[in-house]
Amino acid sequence: MAANGRVSGTGTPEVDKEYIAAVEGAKKEVETLLEQTRCVPLFLRLAYHDAMTYDSTTKTGGANGSIRVQRELDHAGNESLASALELLEPVKAQYQILTYADLFQLSGIIAVRVAGGPFINFTPGRRDSRVAPPQGRLPSFDLGSPNAVTQLKKVFERLGLSTQQFVVLLGAHYIGRWGRETTTDPELFDKHYRDLSKRFSNAYFKDLLKGNIQQDRPLLEDAEIKGYVEQYAADQGRYLKDYAAAHEALTKLGTELPVTLYGSSAVASSSIGSLATSYTTQEVVLGAAVIIGSSILAAGWWWNRRKRLLRGKM
């Protein structure tokens, strides 16, 4: 597969200098898209939902790019994510060597950083899959039913994530939320998918303890969960550190990529290592060097999307 991504005999992309150059190029394009569309929560949700289909027992699903397959995209919980795929497709077309799986997780990491979140190690080398996982693997946050919290914890056990990782990942809910109504109302789409006034912080945990997030209050009935919520509400530094580690683990669900420990390099080669350094030594400053072509593309996409939304179409 020359033009569409060179792979080894095992189906894994060859992560060489050319591949790393594609990652760097895609990174800049995604930054520009976020400047033009401000869809930070949308990209974050895409990365989460591609990875959270993993089943640690059967070793199926995970961060493999399969969310682009229509059968999986139609699953409950993936509404509106076709918009994220539509935004990212020109980036994939420009950097064909890059796998969808890598592009989706890279975009989620950039979204966190753009929102003022922590640096998250990115290790390239994910395989692409077109096999849609079974319906029902995504976590349900309808906490009104009996034993809902217990069932939710079981989902994260299936993913191979700990309760602590589950709780810390919940903090990203502060950045944006999704509602079924956002598929038809442009103003609600703007509010929930394009609002960057909220910055990455431990505000979710503070609000939860204050009773400001009524729908999530059942989480506090679990003593273990409540303990972590209290810790993160009291210590933003710890939250950001733990979030970075948990998000990195999420990006590697269903892959054979190595798990990175705190403070260690995300990669083995010096070429990829320079990529990680570029994130740690500078903030992502959007708009500093906007690529005109991408700007026009993103603006055109948004205009067409608003017309479709006003017509009540996706």
Side-chain angles (χ1 to χ4, degrees):
M1 299 193 331
N4 293 315
R6 298 160 302 137
V7 297
S8 67
T10 62
T12 303
E14 296 178 9
V15 184
D16 53 15
K17 290 183 178 180
E18 184 180 357
Y19 196 90
I20 295 307
V23 172
E24 281 281 16
K27 166 181 167 286
K28 295 175 182 177
E29 293 290 335
V30 171
E31 289 170 1
T32 299
L33 283 174
L34 288 170
E35 163 68 12
Q36 298 300 311
T37 66
R38 302 175 65 83
C39 290
V40 164
L42 187 63
F43 282 12
L44 188 57
R45 187 176 183 84
L46 177 69
Y48 267 52
H49 282 214
D50 192 42
M52 283 187 167
T53 59
Y54 182 58
D55 187 320
S56 58
T57 301
T58 62
K59 308 297 182 184
T60 58
N64 58 19
S66 64
I67 198 168
R68 73 192 189 281
V69 178
Q70 192 62 48
R71 179 182 173 187
E72 182 175 348
L73 197 59
D74 290 339
H75 286 180
N78 288 338
E79 292 87 346
S80 294
L81 290 182
S83 301
L85 298 178
E86 186 179 349
L87 273 173
L88 290 173
E89 191 58 42
V91 180
K92 179 65 171 71
Q94 185 171 353
Y95 300 99
Q96 296 183 27
I97 192 176
L98 196 64
T99 64
Y100 282 101
D102 274 346
L103 177 59
F104 296 163
Q105 296 308 318
L106 177 65
S107 298
I109 285 174
I110 295 171
V112 169
R113 194 64 174 152
V114 166
F119 160 72
I120 300 168
N121 286 322
F122 175 73
T123 307
R126 292 164 186 78
R127 304 180 188 181
D128 273 342
S129 173
R130 295 194 61 85
V131 179
Q135 172 83 273
R137 285 193 179 181
L138 293 176
S140 171
F141 288 91
D142 181 6
L143 301 178
S145 60
N147 302 317
V149 175
T150 299
Q151 293 301 317
L152 190 57
K153 290 178 72 173
K154 287 183 178 179
V155 169
F156 279 81
E157 289 176 6
R158 187 208 73 214
L159 290 169
L161 299 177
S162 67
T163 299
Q164 177 265 333
Q165 289 174 312
F166 152 54
V167 174
V168 77
L169 288 171
L170 287 176
H173 281 183
Y174 184 71
I175 297 300
R177 71 177 184 87
W178 170 89
R180 187 175 298 276
E181 69 274 18
T182 61
T183 62
T184 58
D185 190 323
E187 292 185 4
L188 288 172
F189 185 91
D190 285 353
K191 178 180 178 181
H192 300 311
Y193 268 160
R194 303 183 74 226
D195 181 13
L196 283 184
S197 61
K198 295 180 178 179
R199 306 296 289 171
F200 212 91
S201 72
N202 62 344
Y204 170 81
F205 304 106
K206 293 180 179 180
D207 286 345
L208 184 57
L209 290 176
K210 292 176 181 177
N212 294 336
I213 310 177
Q214 289 296 321
Q215 67 271 23
D216 288 1
R217 281 192 61 80
L219 291 170
L220 300 179
E221 297 173 6
D222 183 283
E224 184 181 17
I225 291 177
K226 184 178 181 180
Y228 287 120
V229 170
E230 291 174 337
Q231 289 177 26
Y232 294 135
D235 190 342
Q236 175 159 294
R238 178 175 180 180
Y239 162 62
L240 295 176
K241 179 180 179 182
D242 287 357
Y243 179 87
H247 189 126
E248 184 191 356
L250 182 78
T251 71
K252 295 180 178 180
L253 293 178
T255 76
E256 297 179 356
L257 300 174
V259 176
T260 304
L261 301 177
Y262 284 132
S264 60
S265 173
V267 291
S269 74
S270 58
S271 297
I272 310 175
S274 64
L275 173 66
T277 302
S278 70
Y279 275 87
T280 55
T281 58
Q282 61 184 29
E283 294 291 328
V284 176
V285 182
L286 294 177
V290 176
I291 300 174
I292 296 177
S294 296
S295 301
I296 295 173
L297 169 68
W301 173 88
W302 181 243
W303 173 251
N304 290 329
R305 171 157 180 76
R306 286 188 68 88
K307 291 192 293 184
R308 289 200 303 275
L309 288 171
L310 288 170
R311 292 197 300 266
K313 298 179 180 179
M314 262 303 295

